[in-house]
Amino acid sequence: MAEDLVLKNCDLELEVNGRDHHTAELCRERLVVRRGQPFWLTLHFEGRSYEASVDSLTFSAVTGPAPSEEAGTKARFPLSSAMEEGAWTAVVMDQQDGVLSLQLSTPANAPVGLYRLTLEASTGYQGSSFVLGHFTLLFNTWCPADAVYLDSEEEREEYVLTQQGFIYQGSVKCIKSIPWNFGQFEDGILDICLALLDTNPKFLKDAGRDCSRRSSPVYMGRVVSAMVNCNDDQGVLLGRWDNDYKDGVSPMFWIGSVDILRRWKTSGCQRVKYGQCWVFAAVACTVLRCLGIPTRVVTNFNSAHDQNSNLLIEYVYNEFGEMQRDKSEMIWNYHCWTESWMSRPDLQPGYGGWQALDPTPQEKSEGTYCCGPVPVRAIKEGDLNTKYDAPFVFAEVNADVVNWIQQKDGSMHESTNTALTVGMKISTKRVGRDEREDITHNYKYPEGSPEEREAFKRANHLNKLTKKEETGVAMRIRVAQSMNMGSDFDVFAYITNNTAETHTCRLMLHARTVSYNGILGPECGSKDLLNLSLEPSSEKSIPLRILYDKYCECLTESNLIKVRGLLIEPAANSYLLAERDIYLENPEIKIRILGEPKQNRKLVAEASLRNPLTTPLLGCTFTMEGAGLMDEQKIVDVPDAVAEGKEVKVRVDLMPRHVGRHKLVVNFESDKLKSVKGFRNVIIGPA
């Protein structure tokens, strides 16, 4: 009778598996593989070699605290002669003396997560059990049978592997790109993402069911959407929008997800203060990319927050053009969410592809603050019965806006001017390039097209189906040039009279600081012309001067000023309202890289900024981070004041770990100049 088979050790082949599974940066000390694709394993036996005629090898892979074969969280499978698609299999690829080279394969719909792999070796009636090790299984966008399969290698690189990107902010007329360090492969991030899954209420309620459902990217997207905010659970971020962040970190300060996720974990899963929409979206993007789901951050300009699902946002102003009463239904200057790529077997055909997911806590979905995933295609078609949360997302890009003027006697008059258009310049980073891509066409048919009309009918969007009356007098707010932080500048009410009559009007112009979510701050400029004569077929341009001295103390970190004009013609009892959000440009951060950019060789990054203001800058701080360039965020305080027109300069050491293209992201803060962002691409060559 043959002696027992004794396992000396198991080599998880980290290097080759990391390369084959696009997980090299995660596989330095552990095995991380993608489902539906074989991975290598080498067994070293001592005493004698494996003999197929006398030895029986059976493998077991389990995940979660209560694994079961029925739930798909436990698999037992013997050594096979060939790979079997869609099943757990193990096949001998080579044998030399006491060394057995194997390939193991997982189903393309296996639950993702941390697995324990064991081996039962039996010879005749005797057997032994060995723990081979642990491995983490991720979604696989390279596998055609996986629900997250993408057929473009460029898109797979961008939406799963790329660790840096841009988020778009500003205003619809002045879109700004903000660099962001997603850092999904940075040290500890995968463990934090797995801890996030194990902290979610569905896991705490029924761990076995939750782990089983981790096979579905639809389910995972919903869990991550809920867990990035902390409104119902021990989630990552606490939202705040009142510009008072003294007991935490201003949302504008963050330049990456890594620091946020590490703070959450090291604090014992205590909420991190504070986030706003782009921070929630960026952290969700990091977690989903880390788990293997192709994801991107999307910005919708002029985004509606419609609470009662009537697809209508109504503003009421007094006769001086001042907004009446606080509103929870608002038009946000911009709003960010994520899109993730996946099939939707739970929906009708054609609804796979990009799905909108919104982790910013706005409205509850099935009792929880989360939103989506909802097919972007369903939004375009006006199919509001589609899971999940289609009416809310449809309103964000399609709601109608009506402006009412309330007179002293309480009577209401609708502004005849065309209100702003909701859902414009929907933006994301272009694949493989540092440029903005406009994806509005994914959400909306061309304005006025028969397809748009059909979508509105399907959505019962009656307001949009009503033809708006054309008026003979129109007004727009114009700007002369780009406006820089610290400067005085002019804006203009541009009025056209296309009628054959003279109109005598009153024009009131107001400028107020505003947050990106539409909350108004103090006034920083005004003009009131009581008798403005508009001659027939004429144009007039009325300037309003806005002074730095007036806006410097009340400008929020959004750098936005809202200019509103109200044109009243008393004789006709008509009201015309026009407004525009103006973004003030921050100064440029200049970044230089000193030294030869090679792997594992020290580099120096130099960041500098010139003070554009007429007063000194105090409390200046530079913050830098970059996946693959430095292990953790570095903060450099500048002890001295920076005088008007003078340059401030700092240096930090970098130690690039990986060959390839990386981004160094920089944030500058001071008492009067806040949240100035900059970046520099750094290409690292082999040592």
Side-chain angles (χ1 to χ4, degrees):
M1 188 175 180
E3 61 184 276
D4 285 354
L5 196 60
V6 179
L7 183 70
K8 184 180 178 184
N9 64 61
C10 172
D11 186 347
L12 298 176
E13 302 291 357
L14 300 186
E15 188 175 339
V16 66
N17 286 325
R19 183 190 66 227
D20 291 350
H21 286 253
H22 308 275
T23 54
E25 292 179 64
L26 297 171
C27 272
R28 288 196 292 274
E29 295 176 357
R30 63 197 295 179
L31 179 60
V32 181
V33 293
R34 301 187 186 276
R35 64 186 192 174
Q37 179 179 339
F39 61 92
W40 291 92
L41 206 64
T42 304
L43 303 179
H44 295 262
F45 296 103
E46 61 181 359
R48 69 174 182 86
S49 303
Y50 163 75
E51 296 177 49
S53 59
V54 297
D55 297 314
S56 173
L57 301 184
T58 303
F59 297 86
S60 177
V62 299
T63 184
S68 78
E69 292 186 19
E70 299 76 36
T73 51
K74 177 181 181 180
R76 290 187 83 251
F77 50 103
L79 209 53
S80 306
S81 56
M83 286 291 179
E84 185 184 340
E85 197 170 316
W88 290 86
T89 53
V91 176
V92 175
M93 304 304 289
D94 188 36
Q95 183 172 5
Q96 293 182 7
D97 299 328
V99 179
L100 194 64
S101 289
L102 307 173
Q103 271 200 335
L104 270 63
S105 190
T106 61
N109 63 350
V112 303
L114 181 64
Y115 280 79
R116 182 169 176 262
L117 184 64
T118 57
L119 170 67
E120 295 169 24
S122 59
T123 306
Y125 296 105
Q126 300 181 47
S128 304
S129 184
F130 307 97
V131 176
L132 301 182
H134 292 80
F135 67 93
T136 302
L137 192 64
L138 304 178
F139 291 99
N140 192 353
T141 190
W142 285 266
C143 174
D146 197 307
V148 301
Y149 173 68
L150 257 173
D151 61 3
S152 162
E153 180 59 29
E154 260 194 320
E155 290 183 348
R156 295 191 287 239
E157 287 274 341
E158 180 71 48
Y159 299 133
V160 175
L161 300 182
T162 298
Q163 297 198 76
Q164 303 92 7
F166 293 100
I167 298 169
Y168 295 94
Q169 298 180 353
S171 68
V172 72
K173 294 283 180 79
C174 186
I175 296 174
K176 298 278 101 186
S177 61
I178 303 300
W180 193 270
N181 180 40
F182 294 110
Q184 66 267 30
F185 304 134
E186 290 292 271
D187 288 347
I189 296 302
L190 176 57
D191 285 331
I192 294 171
C193 293
L194 296 175
L196 188 74
L197 299 181
D198 289 350
T199 311
N200 99 78
K202 292 177 179 177
F203 177 85
L204 300 177
K205 183 181 178 183
D206 187 342
R209 178 168 161 75
D210 176 77
C211 288
S212 175
R213 298 181 75 188
R214 293 180 189 182
S215 60
S216 164
V218 176
Y219 178 77
M220 292 289 268
R222 212 152 161 72
V223 166
V224 171
S225 170
M227 286 301 297
V228 166
N229 71 69
C230 65
N231 287 43
D232 310 285
D233 42 49
Q234 280 188 283
V236 178
L237 277 160
L238 178 64
R240 190 161 188 167
W241 284 266
D242 63 1
N243 298 309
D244 181 9
Y245 312 117
K246 291 188 291 293
D247 63 337
V249 175
S250 160
M252 295 295 285
F253 176 85
W254 307 113
I255 50 177
S257 310
V258 176
D259 187 38
I260 295 169
L261 288 166
R262 285 176 177 167
R263 286 183 190 221
W264 176 75
K265 190 65 171 68
T266 55
S267 70
C269 304
Q270 295 296 306
R271 59 195 187 179
V272 178
K273 302 175 181 179
Y274 289 103
Q276 289 176 5
C277 69
W278 69 93
V279 188
F280 288 111
V283 171
C285 183
T286 294
V287 174
L288 291 164
R289 283 187 185 181
C290 185
L291 297 172
I293 300 175
T295 305
R296 61 191 186 185
V297 177
V298 166
T299 301
N300 176 41
F301 288 92
N302 294 346
S303 190
H305 183 172
D306 176 30
Q307 284 188 313
N308 59 11
S309 300
N310 69 347
L311 298 171
L312 191 64
I313 306 294
E314 296 182 281
Y315 287 107
V316 179
Y317 302 89
N318 65 17
E319 54 196 334
F320 303 107
E322 297 164 336
M323 193 184 295
Q324 301 296 92
R325 64 184 177 269
D326 290 334
K327 282 179 62 68
S328 53
E329 289 200 329
M330 300 285 289
I331 302 299
W332 292 28
N333 225 70
Y334 60 86
H335 180 54
C336 299
W337 57 76
T338 60
E339 287 180 359
S340 291
W341 182 274
M342 63 189 74
S343 64
R344 289 300 299 266
D346 56 325
L347 301 178
Q348 68 186 63
Y351 279 169
W354 289 116
Q355 312 287 315
L357 279 158
D358 192 347
T360 300
Q362 296 177 92
E363 301 296 326
K364 286 194 172 186
S365 171
E366 295 182 346
T368 301
Y369 278 103
C370 65
C371 179
V374 60
V376 172
R377 177 71 186 276
I379 302 306
K380 186 173 184 175
E381 299 297 340
D383 188 351
L384 304 193
N385 295 316
T386 307
K387 293 189 297 186
Y388 292 88
D389 311 306
F392 187 79
V393 179
F394 183 85
E396 287 183 307
V397 299
N398 283 305
D400 215 5
V401 181
V402 177
N403 294 314
W404 296 97
I405 312 298
Q406 186 173 30
Q407 293 185 311
K408 273 184 189 170
D409 62 5
S411 61
M412 306 280 270
H413 297 266
E414 185 177 349
S415 166
T416 54
N417 208 30
T418 306
L420 64 90
T421 302
V422 166
M424 295 183 72
K425 299 286 181 73
I426 303 175
S427 303
T428 193
K429 178 187 174 296
R430 191 177 293 280
V431 173
R433 299 166 74 174
D434 291 345
E435 297 174 2
R436 184 182 74 89
E437 180 183 1
D438 193 309
I439 57 170
T440 310
H441 62 278
N442 289 351
Y443 283 83
K444 307 170 83 165
Y445 283 107
E447 191 173 350
S449 67
E451 294 90 348
E452 182 197 47
R453 191 169 180 82
E454 282 304 310
F456 288 155
K457 280 183 183 174
R458 207 172 287 118
N460 199 26
H461 197 355
L462 306 178
N463 303 308
K464 286 284 190 182
L465 295 172
T466 308
K467 209 160 174 60
K468 302 287 192 280
E469 288 182 31
E470 296 293 324
T471 59
V473 178
M475 176 169 63
R476 284 186 294 154
I477 306 297
R478 284 183 165 181
V479 297
Q481 72 284 327
S482 64
M483 286 129 305
N484 296 319
M485 176 65 75
S487 65
D488 303 336
F489 55 89
D490 290 313
V491 296
F492 302 87
Y494 180 73
I495 306 166
T496 55
N497 177 10
N498 297 316
T499 71
E501 297 106 29
T502 297
H503 296 266
T504 302
C505 301
R506 179 182 182 182
L507 173 66
M508 286 175 281
L509 285 171
H510 296 276
R512 294 176 71 174
T513 59
V514 64
S515 296
Y516 87 97
N517 63 339
I519 303 296
L520 292 168
E523 188 172 273
C524 55
S526 66
K527 179 175 279 190
D528 191 351
L529 302 179
L530 293 173
N531 291 293
L532 180 65
S533 182
L534 304 175
E535 287 76 27
S537 303
S538 66
E539 301 175 352
K540 263 192 166 55
S541 190
I542 313 296
L544 172 65
R545 189 76 171 160
I546 298 177
L547 305 175
Y548 173 67
D549 284 350
K550 296 288 187 185
Y551 69 74
C552 65
E553 295 299 329
C554 53
L555 194 71
T556 73
E557 295 175 358
S558 301
N559 278 24
L560 290 167
I561 293 174
K562 184 181 286 291
V563 179
R564 181 179 292 137
L566 178 62
L567 189 69
I568 305 171
E569 187 178 5
N573 203 16
S574 74
Y575 297 81
L576 225 66
L577 193 73
E579 62 182 35
R580 179 165 178 170
D581 291 314
I582 291 161
Y583 179 82
L584 299 184
E585 298 269 9
N586 277 323
E588 178 189 7
I589 295 179
K590 292 181 178 174
I591 304 167
R592 291 199 306 153
I593 302 297
L594 311 174
E596 196 173 5
K598 295 213 169 166
Q599 187 180 17
N600 297 323
R601 187 175 297 181
K602 192 178 96 168
L603 289 174
V604 173
E606 179 186 271
S608 61
L609 176 142
R610 193 171 297 279
N611 179 7
L613 307 184
T614 54
T615 56
L617 296 177
L618 304 174
C620 300
T621 300
F622 285 89
T623 305
M624 300 190 201
E625 62 179 78
L629 295 172
M630 52 211 304
D631 289 332
E632 58 186 8
Q633 190 183 78
K634 294 187 180 177
I635 299 175
V636 182
D637 295 321
V638 179
D640 303 322
V642 181
E644 172 191 351
K646 294 297 182 185
E647 188 178 60
V648 57
K649 190 181 293 183
V650 299
R651 290 182 174 183
V652 300
D653 292 337
L654 308 178
M655 182 57 74
R657 293 197 312 260
H658 306 296
V659 172
R661 190 169 184 259
H662 306 278
K663 268 189 182 65
L664 181 68
V665 183
V666 181
N667 181 65
F668 173 84
E669 297 282 332
S670 69
D671 61 334
K672 293 186 177 65
L673 198 60
K674 296 183 183 298
S675 304
V676 184
K677 304 286 193 292
F679 77 96
R680 173 72 183 259
N681 287 321
V682 185
I683 298 173
I684 302 299

